[in-house]
Amino acid sequence: MKILALQGSPRMRGNTAILLNQFVNGARAAGAEVDVVNLQEKNIHPCDMCDMCECGEKAVCVYNDSMRDVMKQVHGADALVLATPVWWTGASSLTKIFLDRLYGYKTKEYLGGKGIFLITTYYDNHQHDQPLPGADIVGCVIQSVSDFTGAEFLGHLRSAVIGDVLQDTKILGRAYKEGQRFAEVMSGTVK
């Protein structure tokens, strides 16, 4: 069972990357093969809605950039994990560019039947009467992508911390366990 993890934070050692690493360690402990792609290291051009792909009816997007290689990895994986910080009320720009560029691919062929898990992180240094909606907004976007493509949205780990996530052993343990469970669900070995 192969999982592709897409890390959408520009901070390669930030809270998002740390939680994704814990998730990946859990998935590997459950027997999954996991490849991690740091979107920060890729050259992915934003979609400009040129529609040369005819809404994904052509084989590939007109832009010959890193997205082609990433989509080959997506196609070869059984499941995906998307990890993004929440900026303002949405996914990071790196994650958003990746999601927008899905428009140029036959996404049902690439994502259909795959499981998707989402990890969101955000810094919360204010007291709020109600939780900030950004993580849930990103969750709704991933649910919509899943519904449109025939993928299955299987979970969402949210982390709101003040400071460094390494100080929160509870969320680190939860990320590890979520990775184990996701790998077990995807491989059909849930206990």
Side-chain angles (χ1 to χ4, degrees), residues 14-191:
N15 288 344
T16 303
I18 291 166
L19 282 183
L20 179 60
N21 188 54
Q22 286 294 104
F23 184 97
V24 166
N25 289 340
R28 287 180 176 150
E33 177 186 339
V34 185
D35 291 329
V36 178
V37 171
N38 291 302
L39 294 175
Q40 174 69 14
E41 297 174 335
K42 301 299 178 185
N43 177 25
I44 301 177
H45 191 280
C47 178
D48 61 13
M49 293 301 290
C50 69
D51 209 27
M52 295 294 289
C53 64
E54 297 174 8
C55 191
E57 289 302 314
K58 301 259 175 133
V60 292
C61 174
V62 68
Y63 289 112
N64 187 8
D65 59 12
S66 299
M67 188 68 171
R68 289 187 184 183
D69 290 333
V70 172
M71 290 306 286
K72 285 178 188 173
Q73 290 180 277
V74 167
H75 194 264
D78 300 304
L80 298 176
V81 179
L82 298 170
T84 183
V86 174
W87 291 351
W88 193 237
T89 59
S92 71
S93 54
L94 295 168
T95 305
K96 184 72 168 82
I97 287 171
F98 168 79
L99 292 171
D100 285 348
R101 283 289 299 282
L102 290 175
Y103 177 86
Y105 290 84
K106 294 182 178 186
T107 52
K108 291 179 182 178
E109 291 178 19
Y110 283 89
L111 297 174
K114 296 182 190 312
I116 297 179
F117 193 94
L118 175 63
I119 298 171
T120 53
T121 60
Y122 56 99
Y123 183 77
D124 188 5
N125 63 349
H126 303 286
Q127 294 293 325
H128 298 282
D129 293 330
Q130 295 184 5
L132 296 171
D136 292 332
I137 291 168
V138 178
C140 287
V141 168
I142 300 306
Q143 181 66 64
S144 294
V145 168
S146 298
D147 291 346
F148 179 77
T149 64
E152 187 175 2
F153 187 25
L154 294 173
H156 183 181
L157 175 65
R158 298 163 182 84
S159 173
V161 296
I162 299 172
D164 191 341
V165 75
L166 288 172
Q167 306 305 314
D168 188 343
T169 56
K170 184 177 176 183
I171 195 68
L172 293 171
R174 186 161 168 233
Y176 185 91
K177 288 179 183 174
E178 291 283 0
Q180 276 184 312
R181 178 140 177 88
F182 184 65
E184 290 169 353
V185 166
M186 291 308 303
S187 65
T189 61
V190 177
K191 297 171 185 171

